[in-house]
């Protein structure tokens, strides 16, 4: 791999990690946010934002 390819892979990895940390990190601090499971119920598909009374 040349230097340009490594640089682009590194930038992509940082962007993905940054996105995941912002989305899931901000959800962990919000009491109205919870993680949504996929149809099988074993893997994480995203986050839902609902008030505690709506659950």
């Amino acid at each position: 791999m040349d230097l340009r390819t490594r640089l682009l892979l590194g930038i992509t990895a940082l962007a993905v990690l940054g996105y995941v940390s912002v989305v899931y990190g901000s959800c962990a601090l919000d009491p109205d946010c919870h993680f949504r499971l996929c149809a099988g119920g074993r893997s994480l598909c995203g986050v839902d934002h609902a008030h505690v009374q709506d659950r």
Side-chain angles (χ1 to χ4, degrees), residues 22-54:
V22 166
V23 170
Y24 293 110
S26 63
C27 185
L29 299 175
D30 188 2
D32 290 334
C33 185
H34 63 279
F35 297 112
R36 180 173 42 108
L37 298 176
C38 293
R42 294 189 313 214
S43 60
L44 191 64
C45 284
V47 293
D48 284 332
H49 191 271
H51 294 289
V52 177
Q53 298 96 355
D54 297 339

